[in-house]
């Protein structure tokens, strides 16, 4: 049999600076905000936001009403989620809301005495497993790949990430809907028109979103959940109350401002708002970001085409985006690179001083690796240059 | 035997508005910040803080260097904690850092296979138990009152809260130091000169602090841990990474600004800074706050004195405060009221539309209840008035 291995790169490359594309740090949007961020500036005085409370009579008592309003507005104008009849729960990013949802779903009255299995179709976001296993809870435990999971035995939780992290695919529940035993969490962090065509408003029981991937403001750590069942929303709020007594109000008010500006921008320009299929949506934050992402993907596909004996990338069909009023191909936040000869793709990258996240972390083969497409411009450009020097050779050839 | 009961209050009182003194919402400091908060104003632009990262080469990579600097400075000038040789880990409040510390201590290599018991001398802060039990972890479990705990059997964690919440007492470890099996977490949220004389710099393995109780900015959700062991600090950071991918940068920068202003104020006025025992420290934020708290306590003691057949309050000895350069009596953030006849103190309060937190929540008798002393002025004043109408009668008398 032919075993493939990683060929050491030339000495010059070994000494080249490290390009870190492991994390999904959304610096790609920084130039946009440098140019257009003026309207988003906020000022916080010394006497603002002293209290824990924001809206004591609301289910999510620590959530600023302005933020809730801005969230509903941006979903309405983008058309990516149905908020009618949903409760909104704020989180320190959406990460913690995933944990809040696990808590809420695994402590509802109808659950079994055994820890509930949490599953997700592979390749799955590497952090779900880490979060589920962190405290060795008796409430829930990691159940691995949803595709190979038997959902008929006991209640379980399935996470559906769409578009998927790492591979950008659009997904529906793999197992939960079939058996009736499953409870669903939809992680829709990337369901925004900067990454993917908005084909319809998502309408699920628990939907998670985050400012990080929507506008790029990762440092503010603001996420939100749209939750249909009020009891689930209450339990998620209880989780937030016990673990962190709420979420930074400073960041909530900032997020409200940013989302408000983005929504207003969309209302002024987007096709949907005027009922014609113009392309004014290109001028919005999402339109500009989509162009940027599309350009990066074009460069990546070009670079990978030149190395077509080494790598392959997933193909995504064009779809009609209701928000943009045009057909386009998804341009996900991550590139999901497969090494054609089956060698360890992340090790291959690492040998060339490119840090990526290997397939095994996502529950699949090491022949895959995930590459951030949302890094700073110079890092991305340097990465594209570096691809040309990467090769993976059969040992037999040596 | 004489059983005591709660006498229904007159109809007029039943209809009086609810005074909520259950939560420790630090609104008491709002007037100070309204008057003096100008220097603390911050402005955040649309392009600020986009990244997850703040200081990638530091142990706590998501922590803003300005915040770390301000924290060390304020401890230096107040003299309430030794920061030399400590790592600083930031949290969304100190609540989550308590959980991060539990994770760090219960997953270190030397721990047993059994869940580690977490104990605290009663009366203990009601939230510790809730936090420990929330996810039914296999790493740790609630062990109750440290005073009755046998620490000789297995490794355990003792939380030491000083000044204590709810009763304001100054504390040292009850059991951990005796057996050598215990690991310590010191919750020093209230060890600031607004509440208690600063007798020496605290110097423990893990010390928790929070902006909420220091300056009153609860809404910003900023806490910090001073941690001696770098491995513990790393694990706590890992916990923060997995659960929330860091802490709001907007609030970190705001906290840095506020603590910087407070520290500068102290440097200019405090006795310690000039090496003489003047009382210029009275003009600082801590000095003004101390006066405010002392006035409230005087009013409370006065009101309770009039009801001395019903209630009693703990007595705190005067001590010399190195920061203020004067002797004073502690004026804790909570009043710990005991019903002399042994009736349910929180029910008694509730019958008079005053919401407080009953002793059973803190692991002791229901004859005790905790009353927030840091509410808004008008709520506090209304409460003081209402005390005069409260009585607890023996059933035999009726």
């Amino acid at each position: 049999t032919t075993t493939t291995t990683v060929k050491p790169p030339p000495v010059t490359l070994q000494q080249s600076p490290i390009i870190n594309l492991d994390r999904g740090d959304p610096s790609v949007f920084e130039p946009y905000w440098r140019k257009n961020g003026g309207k988003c500036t906020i000022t916080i005085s010394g006497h603002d936001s002293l209290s824990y409370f924001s809206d004591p009579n609301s289910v999510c008592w620590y959530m600023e009403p302005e933020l809730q309003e801005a969230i509903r507005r941006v979903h309405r104008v983008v058309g990516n989620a149905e908020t009618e009849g949903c409760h909104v729960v704020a989180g320190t990013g959406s990460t913690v809301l995933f944990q809040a949802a696990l808590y809420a779903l695994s402590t509802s009255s109808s659950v079994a005495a055994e820890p509930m299995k949490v599953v997700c179709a592979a390749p799955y976001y590497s952090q779900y497993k880490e979060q589920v296993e962190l405290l060795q809870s008796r409430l829930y435990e990691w159940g691995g790949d949803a595709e190979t999971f038997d959902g008929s035995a006991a209640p379980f939780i399935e996470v559906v990430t769409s578009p998927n992290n790492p591979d950008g695919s659009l997904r529906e529940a793999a197992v939960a809907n079939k058996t009736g035993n499953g409870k669903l969490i939809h992680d829709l962090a990337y369901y925004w028109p900067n990454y993917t065509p908005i084909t319809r408003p998502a309408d699920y029981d628990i939907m998670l979103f985050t400012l990080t991937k929507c506008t790029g403001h990762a440092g503010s750590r603001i996420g939100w959940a749209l939750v249909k069942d009020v009891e689930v929303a209450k339990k998620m709020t209880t989780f937030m109350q016990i673990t962190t007594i709420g979420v930074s109000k400073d960041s909530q008010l900032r997020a409200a401002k940013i989302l408000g500006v983005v929504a207003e921008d969309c209302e002024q320009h987007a096709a949907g708002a005027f009922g014609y299929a113009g392309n004014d949506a290109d001028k919005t934050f999402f339109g500009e970001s989509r162009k940027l992402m599309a350009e990066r993907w074009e460069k990546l596909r070009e670079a990978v085409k030149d190395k077509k004996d080494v790598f392959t990338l997933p193909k995504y069909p064009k779809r009609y985006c209701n928000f943009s009023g045009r057909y386009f191909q998804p341009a996900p936040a991550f590139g999901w690179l497969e090494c054609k000869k089956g060698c360890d793709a992340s090790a291959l990258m690492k040998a060339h001083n490119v840090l990526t996240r290997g397939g095994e972390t996502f529950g699949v083969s090491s022949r895959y690796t995930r590459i951030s497409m949302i890094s700073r411009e110079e890092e991305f450009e340097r990465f594209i240059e570096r691809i040309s020097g990467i090769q993976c050779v059969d040992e037999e050839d040596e």
Side-chain angles (χ1 to χ4, degrees), chain A residues 248-319:
Chain A
S248 160
K249 285 192 181 185
D250 310 317
S251 287
Q252 285 192 59
L253 292 173
R254 186 179 184 212
K257 182 83 176 186
I258 293 167
L259 290 173
V261 166
V262 165
E264 178 151 333
D265 189 33
C266 291
E267 278 166 0
Q268 283 175 7
H269 292 292
F274 300 103
Y276 67 92
N279 65 355
D280 266 11
D282 284 3
K283 293 177 186 157
T284 64
F285 163 73
F286 294 117
E288 297 252 4
S289 307
R290 190 193 60 74
K291 269 187 283 177
L292 205 57
M293 293 303 298
E295 282 163 25
R296 287 197 176 184
W297 269 91
E298 208 172 313
K299 285 179 186 171
L300 178 65
R301 290 202 185 273
E302 210 49 47
V304 166
K305 209 165 85 183
D306 289 344
K307 310 295 292 180
K308 63 175 178 285
D309 51 328
V310 186
F311 294 123
T312 180
L313 280 169
K315 288 191 177 53
Y316 307 107
K318 272 193 182 181
R319 285 166 182 256

Side-chain angles (χ1 to χ4, degrees), chain A residues 9-28:
Chain A
V11 173
T12 48
L13 263 173
Q14 283 179 349
Q15 292 165 342
S16 60
I18 287 171
I19 303 172
N20 191 338
L21 302 177
D22 176 330
R23 291 290 180 87
D25 205 27
S27 315
V28 62

Side-chain angles (χ1 to χ4, degrees), chain A residues 36 116 132 141 167 204 256 274 278 295 364 375 395:
Chain A
N36 303 291
M116 268 175 105
V132 167
E141 64 188 20
D167 71 355
Y204 303 107
F274 300 103
E295 282 163 25
V364 295
S375 68
E395 277 191 347

Side-chain angles (χ1 to χ4, degrees), chain A residues 93-392:
Chain A
S94 60
T95 301
V96 75
L97 292 169
F98 172 68
Q99 295 154 68
L102 294 182
Y103 169 76
L105 297 177
S106 64
T107 54
S108 71
S109 55
S110 62
V111 304
E114 289 289 285
M116 268 175 105
K117 295 269 200 243
V118 182
V119 299
C120 183
Y124 44 71
Y125 177 40
S126 47
Q127 303 300 97
Y128 297 143
K129 181 172 184 286
E130 278 195 66
Q131 287 167 46
V132 167
E133 292 181 340
L134 183 71
L135 294 179
Q136 299 180 27
S137 174
R138 291 184 183 87
L139 298 175
Y140 48 75
E141 64 188 20
W142 184 243
D145 188 0
E147 295 288 358
T148 56
F149 178 73
D150 172 16
S152 62
F156 64 96
I157 298 168
E158 179 177 353
V159 201
V160 182
T161 321
S162 184
N164 191 39
N165 174 1
D167 71 355
S169 60
L170 296 180
R171 287 184 159 186
E172 290 294 340
V175 55
N177 289 342
K178 290 176 210 155
T179 68
N181 275 334
K183 300 191 182 191
L184 286 165
I185 300 171
H186 279 79
D187 184 345
L188 305 180
Y190 302 96
Y191 192 47
W192 293 102
N194 19 5
Y195 307 109
T196 198
I198 302 303
T199 56
R200 61 182 178 82
D203 191 15
Y204 303 107
D205 290 346
I206 303 176
M207 300 185 272
L208 306 182
F209 291 94
T210 171
L211 194 71
T212 303
K213 308 303 176 176
C214 171
T215 66
H217 293 86
S220 292
R221 312 301 315 114
I222 293 293
W224 62 93
L226 304 177
V227 182
K228 290 201 175 165
D229 182 336
V230 66
E231 295 308 321
V232 172
K234 279 182 188 168
K235 280 207 167 185
M236 288 176 72
T237 302
T238 298
F239 179 91
M240 295 300 299
Q241 176 176 332
I242 295 175
T243 56
T244 54
I245 325 184
V247 171
S248 160
K249 285 192 181 185
D250 310 317
S251 287
Q252 285 192 59
L253 292 173
R254 186 179 184 212
K257 182 83 176 186
I258 293 167
L259 290 173
V261 166
V262 165
E264 178 151 333
D265 189 33
C266 291
E267 278 166 0
Q268 283 175 7
H269 292 292
F274 300 103
Y276 67 92
N279 65 355
D280 266 11
D282 284 3
K283 293 177 186 157
T284 64
F285 163 73
F286 294 117
E288 297 252 4
S289 307
R290 190 193 60 74
K291 269 187 283 177
L292 205 57
M293 293 303 298
E295 282 163 25
R296 287 197 176 184
W297 269 91
E298 208 172 313
K299 285 179 186 171
L300 178 65
R301 290 202 185 273
E302 210 49 47
V304 166
K305 209 165 85 183
D306 289 344
K307 310 295 292 180
K308 63 175 178 285
D309 51 328
V310 186
F311 294 123
T312 180
L313 280 169
K315 288 191 177 53
Y316 307 107
K318 272 193 182 181
R319 285 166 182 256
Y320 185 76
C321 174
N322 293 327
F323 171 76
S324 314
R326 58 155 77 210
Y327 285 85
F328 68 87
Q329 217 180 356
F334 299 102
W336 185 237
L337 216 53
E338 180 183 357
C339 183
K340 279 184 133 172
K341 291 184 180 166
C343 74
D344 183 321
S346 117
L348 180 58
M349 286 291 172
K350 201 171 174 194
H352 291 267
N353 278 348
V354 181
L355 306 184
T356 61
R357 200 174 291 183
E360 281 159 317
T361 338
F362 302 97
V364 295
S365 156
S366 65
R367 68 197 288 161
Y368 295 93
T369 199
R370 191 194 78 167
I371 296 154
S372 170
M373 292 292 284
I374 53 179
S375 68
R376 280 180 204 290
E377 187 66 16
E378 62 269 26
E379 271 186 312
F380 180 76
E381 294 294 345
R382 224 184 287 146
F383 164 64
I384 293 295
E385 280 168 34
R386 205 168 289 177
I387 290 178
S388 63
I390 297 177
Q391 33 190 316
C392 154

